[in-house]
Amino acid sequence: MALRRLAGKTKERGRKARDVVVARDRGRRAELVIITGMSGSGKASVLKAFEDLGYYCVDNLPVGLIPQFAELAGQSSEIERTALVVDVREGAQLDNLPKIVKSVRRILPTKMIFLEAADSVLLRRFSETRRPHPLGRKTTVKASLAAEREHLRPIRAMADLVIDTSKFNVHELRSHITEGFQKQEGGNNILVSCVSFGFRHGLPEDADLVFDVRFLPNPHFVPEFRPLTGRDPKVAKYIRSFPQTKEFINRISKLLVYLLPHYIREGKSYLTISFGCTGGQHRSVMIAEDVSKHLGKAGYRVKVVHRDSPG
C-alpha cells in the first residue's frame, strides 16, 4: 500500500512537472506588447492596429493586474499574441510599471512601445477633439502635458521602441505599426475574396474591385455547356482556349500581387475582388477560380465565392 501511494504521488508530481514545462514552453511562444506614452499620441489607433493583426487587446488594464494577465496569456492554448495600453489614467500606480515589466519579462517575451509627439502637435489634437487631458481640468493642457512628460520619463527610458507620431495621421500610424509587426509574423495579414457574379443580378455590395469579363466568348451559347458552370473542366478548358483569357488572367494577377502590399500598408484587413459576366455562371466563375490560385501561390489567404452560380 505504501509503495502504491508513493507511486501515485510520484506520478502526480510528474504530471505537474510536465504541466509546468508545457506552460513555460507556451510562454516562450506567446508575446505581450505594452503600449504607453503621451496622451493624444495615438495609443488607441496603435491598439486597433494590433487588434487587426490578430492580437488579443486590452485598453487601460490596471497595472497591478499585468502579471496575472501575462501569466494567463502564457498558459492559454488559444491566445498567443496580446497587447495592452497603460497610461497616466492609472494615476500613482503607474510608478510601479517599470518594476512590473521587469517581472513580466521573466514570464513571457514582452515589448514596450512608447508613443510621443511634439507639444504643439498634442495641443492641436486636444483642441480638435475638445477632450480634457486625463490629469484633469484644473490646469491648462500645456501644463498637464509638461507634468505627464516628466512623469513618464522613467518609463520612456525602458521602452523597446519609441515612436514620434507628430508627422503621422491616423492611417499612417496604423500602417507603420502593421508593417513593422507584420514582418515578425512573416505572413500576409489580409483575407482576399474572389467573387464571381452576374451583371443581370446587380453588383456585389461589398466589392472593392470589379472586373468585367463579358469581353470573353460566352459558353452559354454552346448547347452542351449551357447547364454547366465555369468550374466544370470542359467549360474551363473552352474559356482558356482563347488567348485573351490567358492574357487577362496573367495581367490581372500581376496587378493584384502588386496592389495587395499597398492595401496591407493602408490597414486593409479584407479585400473583395469581383469578376462579373452576364449571368455569373461560366466566365466569371472560371476567372475567379484561376485568379484565386495565382494569389494563393503568391502567399495570400484567399477564399472563392460564386454568388450567382448554381450549386
Side-chain angles (χ1 to χ4, degrees), residues 40-92:
S41 59
K43 296 186 293 295
S45 296
V46 169
L47 189 67
K48 184 63 178 176
F50 277 105
E51 188 175 28
D52 290 344
L53 286 171
Y55 284 68
Y56 181 89
C57 296
V58 179
D59 185 19
N60 202 24
L61 182 73
V63 169
L65 294 180
I66 293 178
Q68 292 94 315
F69 178 82
E71 190 173 348
L72 289 172
Q75 295 174 353
S76 173
S77 61
E78 298 177 354
I79 301 173
E80 286 191 6
R81 300 171 300 169
T82 56
L84 56 88
V85 168
V86 178
D87 54 33
V88 292
R89 290 174 291 178
E90 272 291 287

Side-chain angles (χ1 to χ4, degrees), residues 194-196 275 283-292 304 306:
C194 287
V195 180
S196 70
F275 300 94
R283 294 167 290 181
S284 62
V285 170
M286 177 265 164
I287 295 294
E289 291 282 348
D290 273 28
V291 171
S292 70
V304 183
H306 300 302

Side-chain angles (χ1 to χ4, degrees), residues 37-287:
M38 295 293 295
S39 300
S41 59
K43 296 186 293 295
S45 296
V46 169
L47 189 67
K48 184 63 178 176
F50 277 105
E51 188 175 28
D52 290 344
L53 286 171
Y55 284 68
Y56 181 89
C57 296
V58 179
D59 185 19
N60 202 24
L61 182 73
V63 169
L65 294 180
I66 293 178
Q68 292 94 315
F69 178 82
E71 190 173 348
L72 289 172
Q75 295 174 353
S76 173
S77 61
E78 298 177 354
I79 301 173
E80 286 191 6
R81 300 171 300 169
T82 56
L84 56 88
V85 168
V86 178
D87 54 33
V88 292
R89 290 174 291 178
E90 272 291 287
Q93 293 298 317
L94 191 63
D95 295 337
N96 298 322
L97 183 61
K99 181 175 65 176
I100 288 174
V101 170
K102 289 180 182 178
S103 67
V104 166
R105 281 175 171 160
R106 293 194 289 266
I107 301 175
L108 80 169
T110 302
K111 293 183 178 179
M112 182 184 291
I113 300 176
F114 188 94
L115 305 180
E116 62 182 9
D119 282 352
S120 59
V121 174
L122 296 175
L123 286 169
R124 188 188 72 243
R125 291 174 183 173
F126 274 102
S127 176
E128 290 173 349
T129 60
R130 298 182 181 180
R131 297 188 63 188
H133 191 278
L135 292 183
R137 301 174 183 267
K138 294 182 179 180
T139 59
T140 63
V141 174
K142 185 175 182 179
S144 295
L145 288 173
E148 180 182 21
R149 201 178 291 278
E150 182 63 29
H151 192 185
L152 294 177
R153 195 180 301 277
I155 295 172
R156 184 189 187 281
M158 65 181 299
D160 299 287
L161 179 63
V162 177
I163 303 175
D164 187 334
T165 68
S166 299
K167 297 182 179 179
F168 287 121
N169 62 33
V170 172
H171 303 292
E172 290 168 342
L173 177 58
R174 291 182 61 179
S175 175
H176 181 74
I177 293 295
T178 299
E179 185 176 359
F181 281 81
Q182 204 166 45
K183 289 178 182 177
Q184 298 176 7
E185 298 305 311
N188 295 311
N189 240 1
I190 189 171
L191 175 62
V192 182
S193 297
C194 287
V195 180
S196 70
F197 72 96
F199 277 98
R200 70 169 58 154
H201 306 295
L203 289 169
E205 293 183 357
D206 59 347
D208 295 299
L209 300 173
V210 177
F211 297 98
D212 187 345
V213 298
R214 288 176 293 186
F215 67 92
L216 298 173
N218 194 347
H220 175 80
F221 297 111
V222 180
E224 64 175 300
F225 295 155
R226 186 170 298 177
L228 304 176
T229 74
R231 283 173 290 183
D232 188 282
K234 296 189 293 292
V235 175
K237 183 179 180 180
Y238 171 79
I239 300 173
R240 289 194 195 99
S241 67
F242 301 97
Q244 60 266 41
T245 303
K246 292 181 180 179
E247 186 172 358
F248 175 78
I249 291 172
N250 288 333
R251 286 174 178 259
I252 289 298
S253 298
K254 288 179 181 178
L255 173 64
L256 294 172
V257 169
Y258 164 75
L259 289 174
L260 280 167
H262 296 285
Y263 280 117
I264 292 171
R265 286 193 201 98
E266 287 302 310
K268 198 94 165 135
S269 300
Y270 305 93
L271 187 72
T272 300
I273 308 164
S274 299
F275 300 94
C277 60
T278 305
Q281 182 173 336
H282 298 107
R283 294 167 290 181
S284 62
V285 170
M286 177 265 164
I287 295 294

Side-chain angles (χ1 to χ4, degrees), residues 31-44:
E31 175 190 358
L32 172 63
V33 176
I34 298 176
I35 305 159
T36 188
M38 295 293 295
S39 300
S41 59
K43 296 186 293 295

